[in-house]
Amino acid sequence: MEEFMRQYEKIYPKLYRTALYYMRNRQEAEDAVQDAVLAAYEKFYQLRDKEKFDNWMMQILVNRCRRRMKTWFRKEEDIEGISLAREEDFATASAVKQVFLELKEEDRLVVSLSVFGGYTSEEIARILGKNHSTVRSRYRRALQKMRKKLEV
């Protein structure tokens, strides 16, 4: 129990940020994290390599978010207090948010895991069960799409 809690406390901010950007709704993000933590806690004894806790936990969260997205009717809501851009310029930050939210679900997830979660493409590939080169291509294309839309 103590080991799980120590590891969980370290990763909670990443989990919440990822769920928030993925779900686009605070309550849904909190619920997804809570579901993921409960599932992980129940199966923690099965995790052989405790060093892989972060990736394992993130994979559980992604699966929970996907499951919730299938049953949840998406609502357009503001994500208050979280900014995709560090600039003081509200218009720029708003434009970046809008373009990010227009990405396909899979692309948005890859970008959020990389940018907000700080995961490498190899780690993201393991989390999503995808090929490493596929993840890198998705990431690169998603950023190109964002740049192109922001230039207009």
Side-chain angles (χ1 to χ4, degrees):
M1 169 83 165
E2 287 180 34
E3 183 178 0
F4 179 85
M5 290 306 295
R6 270 195 313 274
Q7 299 237 15
Y8 167 68
E9 286 173 356
K10 291 178 190 174
I11 194 174
Y12 175 77
K14 283 183 184 179
L15 291 173
Y16 180 70
R17 262 194 319 268
T18 301
L20 184 60
Y21 281 101
Y22 192 77
M23 303 298 290
R24 301 183 348 167
N25 177 290
R26 281 188 177 177
Q27 290 80 22
E28 288 293 327
E30 290 169 359
D31 289 347
V33 171
Q34 187 176 35
D35 289 350
V37 169
L38 181 59
Y41 180 73
E42 291 172 350
K43 304 288 184 181
F44 186 65
Y45 69 92
Q46 293 177 348
L47 181 63
R48 294 180 187 186
D49 186 358
K50 305 300 185 203
E51 296 293 318
K52 295 183 179 179
F53 179 83
D54 290 11
N55 289 342
W56 177 71
M57 191 69 217
M58 193 60 71
Q59 186 171 14
I60 292 171
L61 176 67
V62 167
N63 290 337
R64 296 296 167 159
C65 286
R66 283 183 173 160
R67 193 174 300 153
R68 286 181 157 281
M69 292 294 283
K70 287 179 183 176
T71 60
W72 178 60
F73 179 78
R74 292 174 125 179
K75 297 178 185 175
E76 292 298 322
E77 294 186 18
D78 290 303
I79 301 175
E80 300 172 28
I82 305 284
S83 177
L84 287 172
R86 299 260 184 229
E87 295 88 4
E88 295 294 322
D89 183 8
F90 177 77
T92 301
S94 180
V96 171
K97 282 182 191 179
Q98 183 60 41
V99 170
F100 174 75
L101 295 174
E102 289 174 7
L103 291 174
K104 292 180 185 174
E105 177 184 327
E106 190 80 17
D107 293 342
R108 198 170 59 237
L109 181 59
V110 169
V111 171
S112 65
L113 286 171
S114 177
V115 175
F116 309 120
Y119 289 95
T120 66
S121 56
E122 291 93 2
E123 292 170 327
I124 295 169
R126 281 194 303 270
I127 290 168
L128 300 177
K130 303 274 184 195
N131 188 322
H132 173 251
S133 58
T134 302
V135 169
R136 283 187 301 174
S137 296
R138 278 191 173 276
Y139 180 73
R140 201 173 331 105
R141 274 189 243 130
L143 291 183
Q144 285 173 347
K145 285 178 191 175
M146 289 179 70
R147 273 190 216 104
K148 190 179 263 186
K149 287 184 178 186
L150 289 169
E151 288 174 359
V152 174

